Amino acid sequence: MSERKILLLGTGGTIAGKAQDAAQAVGYRAAEIGVAELIGGLLGIKALEGVMVEAVQLAQVDSKDMNWSIWRSLLAQCLSAMDDPQVHAIVITHGTDTLEETGWFLAALLEARKPVVLTCAMRPATALLSDGPQNLLDSLCVAASGGRPGVWFVAAGKVFAAESVQKVHPYRLDAFSSYELGVCGFVEEQTVRWCSAGMPPRMPVPLHDASSGRAVQVPVASASSLFDLEALPWVEVVFSAALADGRQVEALVAAGVRGIVVAGSGNASVHEQLEAALSEARKRGVWVWYASRCLEGVPVAGRCLGPAISESDHQALAIGLVPSKARIAMMLGLVAREAG
Ligand code: SIN
């Protein structure tokens, strides 16, 4: 059997973290150990027979500091591997803290004709019971097993669609969930058991236009249009909450923000004082989208939204996107709008 080549891209995170002693699972420095070293201990494992791993250290960061330059390189590497017949699949090691955003970004931009698997660890590589080696092995098994193109995320024996997964716990090993969208598969003793058919759904950016009552799609920028950008457009998330007011929005608009995602309460409802400031922001051309602080369900269209909403006003309800992902979607939507 010919060897299956997997491109392993290291970006840092706790999976590459180092503590002063093996008992430390929380006090450590992320992004210290090279990805070639992480893979070193796994290559003799029987499940990886016939697999050739090419390790590339793309970055070495704590993912709280994820930046545009790393995303751009990651996208470029993934695009080129998609077209390289030698590459069977891609595995990416990443910190847990912003993995859900990188996952959404790649899922939105890649026509994933091969498996792209993100993985991570909650404990540093030096911990007594580090979860990194198992997660990396499971990811390689998902990547090598073939037949499931798409952008996936693997940790704690579970496979999720990268576009929907979220970090839901600060230190538990089983720290991720896609809530109602559920788990797509399990990795058990190096065997992948899928429980969903086919690829993860490839999402357009789903918005609800409350004035027409219809779902509309905001175009996402093409991957190729991103490479010349120095930065993605500036978009922030603001929370609606008890005692909220408009000062944060006013300050953002004065500083030149391009778009705001509101993490509304419940059904994407917004405090009246905050809403007044958002309405002013819209008049100045700032995009405003509404998502929900609720972790399950999606906001039901057309309720609690104040003035009429239409895509042309750049005011819309972001259906099915949590605020962190809606923020990246809006950045890509702004790029597409400018390009078009
Ligand atoms: C990070 O996100 O890089 C640090 C935290 C982690 O990976 O768990």
Side-chain angles (χ1 to χ4, degrees):
M1 191 177 64
S2 64
E3 279 201 324
R4 285 157 294 162
K5 176 170 156 183
I6 294 181
L7 180 63
L8 174 64
L9 303 173
T11 70
T14 293
I15 192 167
K18 213 178 202 172
Q20 282 198 328
D21 63 73
Q24 301 246 21
V26 176
Y28 61 88
R29 286 173 61 90
E32 293 275 310
I33 298 173
V35 70
E37 193 177 330
L38 298 182
I39 190 70
L42 300 179
L43 290 178
I45 288 177
K46 193 160 177 8
L48 297 180
E49 266 174 19
V51 171
M52 198 272 272
V53 179
E54 181 187 330
V56 174
Q57 193 72 52
L58 196 84
Q60 190 64 294
V61 291
D62 185 319
S63 79
K64 72 181 173 55
D65 300 323
M66 186 51 65
N67 61 44
W68 174 232
S69 143
I70 300 173
W71 267 12
R72 210 168 34 186
S73 316
L74 199 50
L75 183 60
Q77 285 274 358
C78 290
L79 287 171
S80 122
M82 276 309 141
D83 289 335
D84 181 348
Q86 306 292 316
V87 177
H88 179 84
I90 304 162
V91 172
I92 301 165
T93 57
H94 197 291
T96 60
D97 284 350
T98 61
L99 190 145
E100 65 201 56
E101 285 140 88
T102 302
W104 196 92
F105 173 76
L106 292 177
L109 292 167
L110 290 176
E111 297 277 351
R113 300 181 299 281
K114 303 173 181 181
V116 177
V117 186
L118 289 128
T119 195
C120 63
M122 294 298 290
R123 291 185 182 154
T126 49
L128 277 176
L129 287 176
S130 172
D131 51 332
Q134 185 70 54
N135 286 347
L136 186 52
L137 176 60
D138 288 352
S139 303
L140 289 164
C141 291
V142 171
S145 63
R148 289 288 175 136
V151 187
W152 306 103
F153 165 67
V154 172
K158 296 176 186 160
V159 187
F160 297 93
E163 72 191 61
S164 58
V165 78
Q166 263 188 279
K167 186 172 182 181
V168 298
H169 200 280
Y171 56 84
R172 212 168 56 195
L173 298 190
D174 189 4
F176 286 82
S177 172
S178 280
Y179 291 106
E180 291 163 346
L181 296 177
V183 177
C184 299
F186 296 91
V187 191
E188 295 149 336
E189 293 293 290
Q190 292 105 61
T191 300
V192 188
R193 175 166 58 91
W194 293 97
C195 49
S196 70
M199 294 172 69
R202 223 181 112 64
M203 69 287 133
V205 177
L207 297 175
H208 187 271
D209 176 350
S211 56
S212 68
R214 282 186 292 111
V216 294
Q217 290 176 12
V218 168
V220 168
S222 67
S224 58
S225 66
L226 299 175
F227 290 110
D228 292 336
L229 297 179
E230 297 267 306
L232 290 179
W234 182 24
V235 176
E236 291 292 346
V237 177
V238 302
F239 273 78
S240 185
L243 316 183
D245 62 39
R247 284 175 293 178
Q248 192 182 352
V249 167
E250 285 156 15
L252 286 169
V253 173
V257 79
R258 303 287 313 285
I260 295 173
V261 172
V262 193
S265 39
N267 196 16
S269 63
V270 177
H271 191 291
E272 59 189 359
Q273 291 201 21
L274 178 57
E275 183 52 54
L278 291 168
S279 177
E280 283 305 310
R282 273 195 303 279
K283 284 182 200 152
R284 293 168 176 239
V286 175
W287 282 23
V288 179
W289 288 1
Y290 295 81
S292 176
R293 298 178 348 189
C294 295
L295 295 172
E296 299 205 50
V298 294
V300 178
R303 278 195 49 206
C304 312
L305 291 166
I309 288 175
S310 74
E311 192 201 345
S312 54
D313 288 340
H314 315 310
Q315 178 187 358
L317 186 63
I319 296 177
L321 291 181
V322 292
S324 61
K325 292 176 195 264
R327 174 170 166 265
I328 310 304
M330 189 190 271
M331 291 173 175
L332 299 180
L334 280 160
V335 175
R337 178 62 64 100
E338 271 154 25

